[in-house]
Amino acid sequence: MTEPDEVDVSKPNAARVYDYYLGGSHNFAVDREMGDEAIALWPELPQIMQANRAFLRRAVHFCVERGIRQFLDLGSGIPTVGNVHEVAQLAAPGTRVVYVDTDPVAVAYSKKLLADNPDADIVRADAREPDQVLDSDEVAALLDLDEPVAVMMVALLHFVDEESRPREMIARYRDAMAPGGYLAISHATAEGRPDMADEHADLYKQRTATPMTFRSRVEVGEFFEGFELVEPGLVFLPQWRPVSPSEVGDNPERFTALAGVGRKL
């Protein structure tokens, strides 16, 4: 893969490592090296990441079925298969999607992917700076914030530490949303596998610019202030509206991430 300008290929990047876990090709040797190191510590990581992507697809379908025709995907990462616009526009052509990411690789490849799609675009911005996102030309062009929008924070908030004030960040997006919109969150938690969480968090802290913060069910639940959680509430990834019971398995807690969708009151 040829790197876009401004890409530091000396350090792994969380978005590119995630792409590697999903079997994508938009990553570098340094990302694969870290991914392999993480998998050696925690062999189930690729399955966890795939379960996270499956949750995203189910959440998008859920929102589309309830009439949502515009999405804001924060920390969208690399454009691997099953992205928001692919799922939403297949279900409801004309659905508008704006992606947001800081990684130049994610932005460059998303721009290429979306070049012929008039209903989707990406903003290079930091999701932790809501005004930067909400005031962008791309959001102004594609999203009508006076109408309900689905805001996706999938595998994002565990890369937002407490110093970055995640609750204030979410509140700013919430206040910009019209009633009837939705917030989708998936978030890493140590509650499923506390024996694995510390080593994994240490690896991201040592190797990337985006260390991980594992949070409890109570802490993740607080992110939905001002939203009404839809059934089944805040649960482990495969438990959120599975297509079939076989997707859940006997030990859903092994996926070590919580997922939920809330409706703006």
Side-chain angles (χ1 to χ4, degrees):
M1 187 179 87
T2 303
E3 64 268 22
D5 295 337
E6 304 178 39
V7 175
D8 180 3
V9 297
S10 66
K11 291 186 66 175
N13 171 274
R16 300 195 303 264
V17 174
Y18 182 55
D19 176 69
Y20 177 58
Y21 290 145
L22 291 173
S25 59
H26 303 312
N27 50 72
F28 303 112
V30 67
D31 306 307
R32 296 188 288 275
E33 179 183 339
M34 179 180 158
D36 289 339
E37 188 175 344
I39 292 169
L41 291 172
W42 198 340
E44 294 174 312
L45 276 177
Q47 289 76 29
I48 294 170
M49 302 309 170
Q50 290 159 16
N52 185 71
R53 180 51 63 106
F55 161 70
L56 179 143
R57 292 193 295 266
R58 296 196 303 275
V60 170
H61 275 297
F62 173 87
C63 293
V64 169
E65 288 170 358
R66 279 145 188 82
I68 298 296
R69 295 295 182 268
Q70 46 184 5
F71 289 80
L72 180 62
D73 186 1
L74 301 171
S76 53
I78 307 294
T80 47
V81 174
N83 251 314
V84 171
H85 76 279
E86 294 177 335
V87 176
Q89 292 176 356
L90 182 63
T95 296
R96 303 180 305 281
V97 179
V98 175
Y99 295 105
V100 179
D101 209 283
T102 57
D103 178 45
V105 173
V107 173
Y109 280 92
S110 293
K111 285 286 187 185
K112 289 182 180 180
L113 181 71
L114 303 172
D116 298 322
N117 190 326
D119 296 315
D121 204 348
I122 186 165
V123 182
R124 186 177 178 186
D126 191 332
R128 296 172 299 180
E129 301 292 340
D131 290 338
Q132 184 183 115
V133 174
L134 296 169
D135 294 340
S136 67
D137 292 340
E138 292 85 352
V139 167
L142 285 178
L143 304 184
D144 179 359
L145 296 181
D146 291 329
E147 296 294 328
V149 61
V151 176
M152 315 298 289
M153 299 188 186
V154 176
L156 168 69
L157 293 168
H158 47 243
F159 293 117
V160 180
D161 60 22
E162 289 300 310
E163 291 183 3
S164 298
R165 300 181 177 179
R167 292 159 192 80
E168 292 181 20
M169 178 192 98
I170 296 168
R172 177 67 184 92
Y173 288 109
R174 181 195 65 216
D175 292 346
M177 296 169 64
Y182 290 90
L183 172 66
I185 291 176
S186 68
H187 195 296
T189 181
E191 292 186 5
R193 291 289 304 275
D195 56 315
M196 306 297 292
D198 288 345
E199 281 187 296
H200 193 65
D202 286 345
L203 180 63
Y204 271 79
K205 183 177 182 179
Q206 295 167 10
R207 299 288 300 278
T208 78
T210 49
M212 291 185 71
T213 301
F214 286 77
R215 293 185 173 94
S216 68
R217 186 182 299 266
V218 170
E219 290 172 317
V220 177
E222 291 171 352
F223 291 153
F224 286 98
E225 182 179 355
F227 297 86
E228 181 181 14
L229 275 169
V230 303
E231 291 293 333
L234 187 60
V235 294
F236 288 110
L237 285 171
Q239 293 177 310
W240 198 87
R241 295 178 176 260
V243 175
S244 69
S246 64
E247 294 182 0
V248 179
D250 295 330
N251 302 105
E253 72 279 359
R254 73 185 186 278
F255 288 93
T256 64
L258 298 166
V261 175
R263 186 176 185 272
K264 169 74 182 290
L265 299 173

